[in-house]
Coordinates of all heavy atoms in Angstrom, one line a residue:
M1 N 150.8 117.8 126.0 CA 150.0 117.0 125.0 C 150.6 117.4 123.6 O 151.0 118.5 123.4 CB 148.6 117.3 125.1 CG 148.0 118.6 124.6 SD 146.4 119.0 125.1 CE 146.7 119.8 126.6
L2 N 150.5 116.5 122.7 CA 150.9 116.7 121.3 C 149.7 117.4 120.6 O 148.6 117.4 121.0 CB 151.3 115.4 120.6 CG 152.5 114.7 121.2 CD1 152.8 113.4 120.6 CD2 153.7 115.6 121.2
I3 N 150.0 117.8 119.3 CA 149.0 118.6 118.6 C 147.7 117.8 118.3 O 146.6 118.3 118.3 CB 149.6 119.1 117.3 CG1 148.7 120.2 116.7 CG2 149.9 118.0 116.3 CD1 149.3 121.1 115.7
G4 N 147.9 116.5 118.1 CA 146.7 115.6 117.9 C 145.7 115.7 119.1 O 144.5 115.8 118.9
E5 N 146.2 115.6 120.3 CA 145.4 115.7 121.5 C 144.8 117.1 121.6 O 143.7 117.3 122.0 CB 146.2 115.3 122.7 CG 145.5 115.4 124.0 CD 144.4 114.3 124.1 OE1 144.5 113.3 123.4 OE2 143.5 114.5 124.9
L6 N 145.7 118.1 121.3 CA 145.2 119.5 121.4 C 144.0 119.7 120.4 O 143.1 120.4 120.7 CB 146.4 120.4 121.1 CG 146.2 121.9 121.3 CD1 145.9 122.2 122.8 CD2 147.4 122.7 120.9
V7 N 144.1 119.1 119.2 CA 143.0 119.2 118.2 C 141.8 118.7 118.8 O 140.7 119.3 118.7 CB 143.4 118.5 116.9 CG1 142.2 118.3 116.0 CG2 144.5 119.3 116.2
K8 N 141.8 117.5 119.4 CA 140.7 116.8 120.0 C 140.0 117.7 121.1 O 138.8 117.9 121.2 CB 141.0 115.5 120.6 CG 141.3 114.4 119.6 CD 141.7 113.1 120.2 CE 142.2 112.1 119.2 NZ 142.7 110.9 119.9
R9 N 140.9 118.2 122.0 CA 140.4 119.0 123.1 C 139.9 120.4 122.8 O 138.9 120.9 123.4 CB 141.5 119.1 124.2 CG 141.8 117.8 124.9 CD 142.7 118.0 126.0 NE 143.1 116.8 126.7 CZ 143.7 116.7 127.8 NH1 144.1 117.8 128.4 NH2 144.0 115.6 128.4
S10 N 140.5 121.0 121.8 CA 140.1 122.4 121.5 C 139.1 122.5 120.4 O 138.4 123.5 120.3 CB 141.4 123.1 121.0 OG 141.8 122.7 119.7
G11 N 139.0 121.4 119.6 CA 138.0 121.5 118.5 C 138.5 122.3 117.3 O 137.8 122.6 116.3
L12 N 139.8 122.7 117.3 CA 140.4 123.4 116.2 C 141.2 122.5 115.4 O 141.7 121.4 115.9 CB 141.3 124.5 116.8 CG 140.7 125.6 117.6 CD1 141.7 126.5 118.3 CD2 139.8 126.5 116.7
S13 N 141.5 122.8 114.1 CA 142.3 121.9 113.3 C 143.7 122.2 113.5 O 144.1 123.2 114.0 CB 141.9 122.2 111.8 OG 142.4 123.5 111.4
K14 N 144.6 121.2 113.0 CA 146.0 121.4 113.1 C 146.5 122.6 112.4 O 147.3 123.4 112.8 CB 146.7 120.2 112.5 CG 146.7 118.9 113.4 CD 147.4 117.8 112.7 CE 147.3 116.5 113.5 NZ 148.0 115.4 112.8
D15 N 145.8 122.8 111.2 CA 146.2 124.0 110.4 C 145.9 125.3 111.1 O 146.7 126.3 111.0 CB 145.5 124.0 109.0 CG 146.0 122.9 108.1 OD1 147.2 122.4 108.3 OD2 145.2 122.5 107.2
T16 N 144.8 125.4 111.8 CA 144.4 126.6 112.5 C 145.4 126.8 113.7 O 145.8 128.0 113.9 CB 143.0 126.5 113.1 OG1 142.1 126.3 112.0 CG2 142.6 127.7 113.9
I17 N 145.7 125.8 114.4 CA 146.7 125.9 115.5 C 148.0 126.4 115.0 O 148.7 127.3 115.5 CB 146.8 124.6 116.3 CG1 145.5 124.3 117.0 CG2 148.0 124.7 117.3 CD1 145.4 122.9 117.6
R18 N 148.5 125.8 113.9 CA 149.8 126.2 113.3 C 149.7 127.7 112.8 O 150.7 128.4 112.9 CB 150.2 125.2 112.2 CG 150.6 123.9 112.8 CD 151.0 122.9 111.7 NE 151.4 121.7 112.3 CZ 151.0 120.5 111.9 NH1 150.2 120.4 110.9 NH2 151.4 119.4 112.5
F19 N 148.5 128.0 112.2 CA 148.3 129.4 111.7 C 148.5 130.4 112.9 O 149.1 131.4 112.8 CB 147.0 129.5 111.0 CG 146.7 130.9 110.5 CD1 147.1 131.3 109.3 CD2 145.9 131.8 111.3 CE1 146.8 132.5 108.8 CE2 145.6 133.0 110.8 CZ 146.1 133.4 109.5
Y20 N 147.8 130.1 114.0 CA 147.9 131.0 115.2 C 149.3 131.1 115.7 O 149.7 132.1 116.1 CB 147.0 130.4 116.3 CG 145.5 130.6 116.0 CD1 144.5 129.9 116.8 CD2 145.0 131.4 115.0 CE1 143.2 130.0 116.6 CE2 143.6 131.5 114.7 CZ 142.7 130.8 115.5 OH 141.4 131.0 115.3
E21 N 150.0 130.0 115.6 CA 151.4 130.0 116.1 C 152.3 130.9 115.1 O 153.1 131.7 115.5 CB 152.0 128.6 116.2 CG 153.4 128.6 116.7 CD 153.9 127.2 117.0 OE1 153.3 126.2 116.6 OE2 155.1 127.1 117.4
K22 N 152.1 130.7 113.8 CA 152.8 131.5 112.8 C 152.6 133.0 113.0 O 153.4 133.8 112.8 CB 152.4 131.0 111.4 CG 153.1 131.7 110.3 CD 152.7 131.2 108.9 CE 153.3 131.9 107.8 NZ 152.9 131.5 106.5
H23 N 151.3 133.3 113.4 CA 151.0 134.7 113.5 C 151.1 135.3 114.9 O 150.6 136.4 115.2 CB 149.6 134.9 112.9 CG 149.5 134.9 111.4 ND1 150.0 133.8 110.7 CD2 149.0 135.7 110.5 CE1 149.9 134.1 109.4 NE2 149.2 135.2 109.3
G24 N 151.7 134.5 115.8 CA 152.1 135.0 117.1 C 151.0 135.0 118.2 O 151.2 135.6 119.2
L25 N 149.9 134.4 117.9 CA 148.8 134.3 118.9 C 149.2 133.3 120.0 O 148.7 133.4 121.1 CB 147.5 134.0 118.3 CG 146.9 135.1 117.4 CD1 145.8 134.6 116.5 CD2 146.4 136.2 118.2
I26 N 149.9 132.3 119.6 CA 150.4 131.3 120.6 C 151.9 131.1 120.3 O 152.4 131.3 119.2 CB 149.7 129.9 120.5 CG1 149.8 129.3 119.1 CG2 148.2 130.1 120.9 CD1 149.2 127.9 119.1
A27 N 152.6 130.6 121.3 CA 154.1 130.4 121.1 C 154.5 129.1 121.8 O 154.1 128.9 123.0 CB 154.9 131.6 121.5
V28 N 155.3 128.3 121.2 CA 155.8 127.1 121.8 C 157.3 127.3 121.7 O 157.9 127.3 120.6 CB 155.4 125.8 121.0 CG1 156.0 124.6 121.7 CG2 153.9 125.7 121.0
G29 N 157.9 127.4 122.9 CA 159.4 127.6 122.9 C 160.2 126.3 122.7 O 159.7 125.2 122.7
R30 N 161.5 126.5 122.6 CA 162.4 125.4 122.4 C 162.3 124.4 123.6 O 162.4 123.2 123.4 CB 163.8 125.9 122.3 CG 164.1 126.4 120.9 CD 164.4 125.2 120.0 NE 164.4 125.7 118.6 CZ 164.0 124.9 117.6 NH1 163.6 123.7 117.8 NH2 164.1 125.4 116.4
K31 N 162.1 124.9 124.8 CA 162.1 124.1 126.0 C 160.8 123.2 126.0 O 160.7 122.3 126.8 CB 162.2 124.9 127.3 CG 161.1 125.9 127.5 CD 161.3 126.6 128.8 CE 160.1 127.5 128.9 NZ 159.9 128.0 130.2
D32 N 159.8 123.6 125.2 CA 158.5 122.9 125.2 C 158.5 121.9 124.1 O 157.4 121.6 123.6 CB 157.4 123.9 125.0 CG 157.2 124.9 126.2 OD1 157.5 124.5 127.3 OD2 156.9 126.1 125.9
R33 N 159.6 121.4 123.7 CA 159.7 120.4 122.7 C 160.3 119.1 123.2 O 161.2 119.1 124.1 CB 160.6 120.9 121.5 CG 159.9 122.0 120.8 CD 160.8 122.5 119.6 NE 160.2 123.7 119.0 CZ 159.6 123.6 117.8 NH1 159.5 122.4 117.2 NH2 159.1 124.7 117.2
R34 N 159.9 118.0 122.7 CA 160.4 116.7 123.1 C 161.8 116.5 122.4 O 162.2 117.3 121.5 CB 159.5 115.6 122.7 CG 158.2 115.7 123.5 CD 157.3 114.5 123.1 NE 156.1 114.5 123.9 CZ 155.2 113.6 123.9 NH1 155.3 112.6 123.0 NH2 154.1 113.6 124.6
D35 N 162.5 115.4 122.8 CA 163.8 115.1 122.2 C 163.7 114.9 120.7 O 164.6 115.2 119.9 CB 164.3 113.8 122.8 CG 164.8 114.0 124.3 OD1 165.0 115.2 124.6 OD2 164.8 113.1 125.0
N36 N 162.5 114.4 120.2 CA 162.3 114.2 118.8 C 161.8 115.5 118.1 O 161.4 115.5 116.9 CB 161.4 113.1 118.5 CG 160.0 113.3 119.1 OD1 159.7 114.3 119.7 ND2 159.2 112.3 119.1
N37 N 161.8 116.6 118.8 CA 161.5 118.0 118.3 C 159.9 118.1 118.1 O 159.5 119.1 117.6 CB 162.2 118.3 117.0 CG 162.4 119.8 116.8 OD1 162.5 120.5 117.8 ND2 162.4 120.3 115.6
Y38 N 159.1 117.2 118.6 CA 157.7 117.4 118.6 C 157.3 118.4 119.6 O 157.9 118.5 120.7 CB 157.0 116.1 119.0 CG 157.0 115.0 117.9 CD1 157.7 115.1 116.8 CD2 156.3 113.8 118.2 CE1 157.6 114.1 115.8 CE2 156.2 112.8 117.2 CZ 156.9 113.0 116.0 OH 156.9 112.0 115.1
K39 N 156.4 119.3 119.3 CA 155.9 120.3 120.2 C 155.1 119.7 121.3 O 154.2 118.9 121.1 CB 155.2 121.4 119.5 CG 156.0 122.1 118.5 CD 155.2 123.1 117.6 CE 156.1 123.7 116.5 NZ 155.3 124.5 115.6
E40 N 155.3 120.2 122.5 CA 154.5 119.8 123.7 C 153.7 120.9 124.1 O 154.2 122.0 124.5 CB 155.4 119.3 124.8 CG 154.8 118.8 126.0 CD 154.2 117.4 125.8 OE1 154.8 116.6 125.1 OE2 153.1 117.2 126.4
Y41 N 152.3 120.8 124.0 CA 151.4 121.9 124.3 C 150.9 121.7 125.8 O 150.5 120.6 126.1 CB 150.3 121.9 123.3 CG 150.7 122.2 121.9 CD1 151.0 121.2 121.0 CD2 150.8 123.5 121.5 CE1 151.4 121.5 119.7 CE2 151.2 123.8 120.2 CZ 151.5 122.8 119.3 OH 151.9 123.0 118.0
S42 N 150.8 122.8 126.5 CA 150.4 122.7 127.9 C 148.9 122.9 128.0 O 148.2 123.3 127.1 CB 151.1 123.8 128.7 OG 150.7 125.1 128.2
S43 N 148.4 122.7 129.2 CA 147.0 123.0 129.4 C 146.7 124.5 129.4 O 145.6 124.9 129.0 CB 146.5 122.4 130.8 OG 147.3 122.9 131.8
A44 N 147.7 125.3 129.7 CA 147.6 126.7 129.6 C 147.4 127.1 128.1 O 146.6 128.0 127.8 CB 148.7 127.4 130.2
M45 N 148.1 126.4 127.2 CA 147.9 126.7 125.8 C 146.5 126.3 125.3 O 145.9 127.0 124.5 CB 149.0 125.9 125.0 CG 149.0 126.1 123.5 SD 149.5 127.8 123.1 CE 151.2 127.7 123.6
L46 N 146.0 125.2 125.8 CA 144.6 124.8 125.5 C 143.7 125.9 125.9 O 142.8 126.3 125.2 CB 144.3 123.5 126.2 CG 142.8 123.0 126.0 CD1 142.5 122.8 124.6 CD2 142.6 121.8 126.8
K47 N 143.8 126.5 127.1 CA 142.9 127.5 127.6 C 143.1 128.8 126.7 O 142.1 129.4 126.4 CB 143.3 127.9 129.1 CG 142.8 126.8 130.0 CD 143.1 127.2 131.4 CE 142.7 126.0 132.4 NZ 142.9 126.3 133.8
R48 N 144.3 129.1 126.3 CA 144.5 130.2 125.4 C 143.8 130.0 124.1 O 143.1 130.9 123.6 CB 146.0 130.4 125.2 CG 146.4 131.7 124.5 CD 147.9 131.9 124.5 NE 148.3 133.0 123.7 CZ 148.5 134.2 124.2 NH1 148.5 134.4 125.5 NH2 148.9 135.2 123.4
L49 N 143.9 128.8 123.5 CA 143.2 128.5 122.3 C 141.7 128.6 122.4 O 141.0 129.0 121.5 CB 143.6 127.1 121.7 CG 145.1 127.1 121.2 CD1 145.5 125.6 120.9 CD2 145.2 127.9 119.9
E50 N 141.2 128.1 123.6 CA 139.8 128.2 123.8 C 139.3 129.6 123.9 O 138.2 130.0 123.4 CB 139.4 127.4 125.1 CG 139.5 125.9 124.9 CD 139.4 125.2 126.2 OE1 139.6 125.8 127.3 OE2 139.1 123.9 126.2
L51 N 140.1 130.5 124.5 CA 139.8 131.9 124.6 C 139.8 132.5 123.2 O 138.9 133.3 122.8 CB 140.8 132.6 125.5 CG 140.6 134.2 125.6 CD1 139.2 134.5 126.0 CD2 141.6 134.8 126.5
I52 N 140.8 132.2 122.4 CA 140.8 132.7 121.0 C 139.6 132.2 120.2 O 139.0 133.0 119.5 CB 142.1 132.2 120.3 CG1 143.4 132.9 120.9 CG2 142.1 132.6 118.8 CD1 144.7 132.3 120.4
K53 N 139.2 131.0 120.4 CA 138.1 130.4 119.7 C 136.8 131.2 120.1 O 136.0 131.5 119.3 CB 138.0 128.9 120.0 CG 136.9 128.2 119.3 CD 136.9 126.7 119.6 CE 135.8 126.0 119.0 NZ 135.8 124.6 119.3
Q54 N 136.7 131.5 121.4 CA 135.5 132.2 121.9 C 135.5 133.6 121.4 O 134.5 134.1 120.9 CB 135.5 132.2 123.4 CG 134.3 132.8 124.0 CD 134.3 132.6 125.5 OE1 135.3 132.6 126.2 NE2 133.1 132.6 126.1
L55 N 136.6 134.3 121.4 CA 136.7 135.7 120.9 C 136.4 135.7 119.4 O 135.6 136.6 118.9 CB 138.1 136.2 121.1 CG 138.5 136.5 122.5 CD1 140.0 136.8 122.6 CD2 137.7 137.6 123.1
K56 N 136.9 134.7 118.6 CA 136.5 134.7 117.2 C 135.0 134.5 117.0 O 134.4 135.0 116.1 CB 137.3 133.5 116.5 CG 138.8 133.8 116.4 CD 139.1 134.8 115.4 CE 138.8 134.4 114.0 NZ 138.8 135.5 113.0
S57 N 134.4 133.7 117.9 CA 133.0 133.4 117.7 C 132.2 134.7 118.0 O 131.0 134.8 117.6 CB 132.5 132.3 118.6 OG 132.5 132.7 120.0
F58 N 132.8 135.6 118.8 CA 132.1 136.9 119.1 C 132.3 137.9 117.9 O 131.8 139.0 118.0 CB 132.6 137.5 120.4 CG 132.2 136.7 121.6 CD1 133.1 136.7 122.7 CD2 131.1 136.0 121.7 CE1 132.8 136.0 123.8 CE2 130.7 135.3 122.8 CZ 131.6 135.3 123.9
G59 N 133.2 137.6 117.0 CA 133.4 138.4 115.8 C 134.7 139.2 115.9 O 134.9 140.1 115.0
F60 N 135.6 138.9 116.9 CA 136.8 139.6 116.9 C 137.7 139.2 115.8 O 137.7 138.0 115.4 CB 137.5 139.3 118.3 CG 136.9 140.0 119.5 CD1 135.8 139.5 120.1 CD2 137.5 141.2 119.9 CE1 135.3 140.2 121.2 CE2 137.0 141.9 121.0 CZ 135.9 141.4 121.7
T61 N 138.5 140.1 115.3 CA 139.6 139.8 114.3 C 140.8 139.2 115.0 O 140.9 139.3 116.3 CB 140.0 141.0 113.5 OG1 140.7 141.9 114.5 CG2 138.9 141.8 112.9
L62 N 141.7 138.6 114.3 CA 142.9 138.1 114.9 C 143.7 139.2 115.6 O 144.3 139.0 116.7 CB 143.8 137.4 113.9 CG 143.2 136.0 113.4 CD1 144.2 135.4 112.4 CD2 142.9 135.1 114.6
N63 N 143.8 140.4 115.0 CA 144.5 141.5 115.7 C 143.8 141.9 117.0 O 144.5 142.2 118.0 CB 144.6 142.7 114.8 CG 145.7 142.4 113.7 OD1 146.6 141.7 113.8 ND2 145.5 143.1 112.5
E64 N 142.5 141.9 117.0 CA 141.8 142.2 118.2 C 141.9 141.1 119.3 O 142.1 141.4 120.4 CB 140.3 142.4 117.9 CG 140.0 143.7 117.1 CD 138.6 143.8 116.5 OE1 138.0 142.7 116.3 OE2 138.2 144.9 116.2
C65 N 142.0 139.9 118.8 CA 142.2 138.8 119.7 C 143.6 138.9 120.4 O 143.7 138.7 121.6 CB 142.2 137.4 119.0 SG 140.5 136.9 118.5
R66 N 144.6 139.3 119.6 CA 145.9 139.5 120.1 C 145.9 140.6 121.2 O 146.6 140.4 122.2 CB 146.9 139.9 119.0 CG 148.3 140.0 119.4 CD 149.3 140.3 118.2 NE 149.3 139.2 117.3 CZ 148.8 139.2 116.1 NH1 148.2 140.2 115.6 NH2 148.9 138.2 115.3
E67 N 145.2 141.7 121.0 CA 145.1 142.7 121.9 C 144.5 142.3 123.2 O 144.9 142.6 124.3 CB 144.4 143.9 121.4 CG 145.2 144.7 120.2 CD 144.3 145.7 119.6 OE1 143.3 146.1 120.1 OE2 144.8 146.2 118.5
V68 N 143.4 141.5 123.1 CA 142.7 141.0 124.3 C 143.6 140.1 125.0 O 143.7 140.1 126.3 CB 141.4 140.3 123.9 CG1 140.8 139.6 125.1 CG2 140.4 141.3 123.3
L69 N 144.3 139.2 124.3 CA 145.3 138.3 125.0 C 146.4 139.0 125.7 O 146.7 138.6 126.8 CB 145.9 137.3 124.0 CG 144.9 136.3 123.4 CD1 145.5 135.6 122.2 CD2 144.4 135.3 124.4
E70 N 146.9 140.1 125.2 CA 147.9 140.9 125.8 C 147.3 141.5 127.1 O 148.0 141.5 128.1 CB 148.4 142.0 124.9 CG 149.3 141.4 123.8 CD 149.6 142.5 122.7 OE1 149.3 143.6 122.9 OE2 150.3 142.1 121.7
L71 N 146.1 142.0 127.1 CA 145.4 142.6 128.2 C 145.3 141.5 129.3 O 145.5 141.8 130.5 CB 144.1 143.2 127.9 CG 144.2 144.5 127.1 CD1 142.8 144.9 126.6 CD2 144.8 145.6 127.9
V72 N 144.9 140.3 128.9 CA 144.7 139.2 129.9 C 146.0 138.9 130.6 O 146.1 138.7 131.8 CB 144.1 138.0 129.2 CG1 144.1 136.8 130.1 CG2 142.6 138.3 128.7
E73 N 147.1 138.8 129.8 CA 148.4 138.5 130.3 C 148.9 139.6 131.3 O 149.4 139.3 132.3 CB 149.4 138.4 129.2 CG 149.2 137.1 128.4 CD 150.1 137.0 127.2 OE1 150.9 138.0 126.9 OE2 150.0 136.1 126.4
V74 N 148.6 140.8 131.0 CA 149.0 141.9 131.8 C 148.3 141.9 133.2 O 148.9 142.0 134.2 CB 148.8 143.3 131.2 CG1 148.9 144.5 132.1 CG2 149.8 143.5 130.0
N75 N 147.0 141.6 133.1 CA 146.2 141.5 134.3 C 146.5 140.3 135.1 O 146.2 140.3 136.3 CB 144.7 141.6 133.9 CG 144.3 143.0 133.5 OD1 144.8 144.0 133.9 ND2 143.3 143.1 132.6
A76 N 146.9 139.2 134.5 CA 147.3 138.0 135.2 C 148.6 138.1 136.0 O 148.8 137.4 136.9 CB 147.3 136.8 134.3
A77 N 149.4 139.0 135.5 CA 150.8 139.2 136.1 C 150.8 139.9 137.4 O 150.0 140.5 137.9 CB 151.7 139.8 135.1

């Protein structure tokens, strides 16, 4: 899905999604881009953003969110 669809589904703004990407909370690789260089976001990315949104609502900082995401990735592997 493109960023517009991701915005609709996640309830986050484009700026917030781009901010999270800039700060390393989410990552879109070169292989996840279309021929026109548009970023293609997966359903896994949507779930990750929903988790970040939930953690932020609990009062976690972005650094704390990053740590929780790392723990989730380690436990999922």
Side-chain angles (χ1 to χ4, degrees):
M1 77 189 86
L2 296 176
I3 195 164
E5 181 68 21
L6 190 61
V7 165
K8 288 179 191 174
R9 290 187 180 191
S10 69
L12 298 169
S13 70
K14 287 181 183 180
D15 290 336
T16 299
I17 294 169
R18 289 180 178 134
F19 179 84
Y20 289 165
E21 185 175 1
K22 181 180 177 182
H23 286 49
L25 292 165
I26 61 172
V28 180
R30 282 279 170 212
K31 65 179 181 163
D32 298 322
R33 293 178 183 257
R34 294 182 174 185
D35 291 337
N36 58 6
N37 208 30
Y38 286 5
K39 295 174 186 171
E40 184 72 37
Y41 297 92
S42 66
S43 57
M45 183 68 66
L46 175 61
K47 289 180 182 182
R48 186 174 177 98
L49 287 169
E50 288 171 342
L51 177 57
I52 293 169
K53 186 176 176 181
Q54 187 174 27
L55 291 169
K56 291 290 292 166
S57 74
F58 293 148
F60 285 83
T61 66
L62 288 181
N63 286 332
E64 291 168 336
C65 289
R66 185 178 292 109
E67 291 174 14
V68 171
L69 291 168
E70 289 171 3
L71 290 172
V72 169
E73 289 173 359
V74 167
N75 288 328

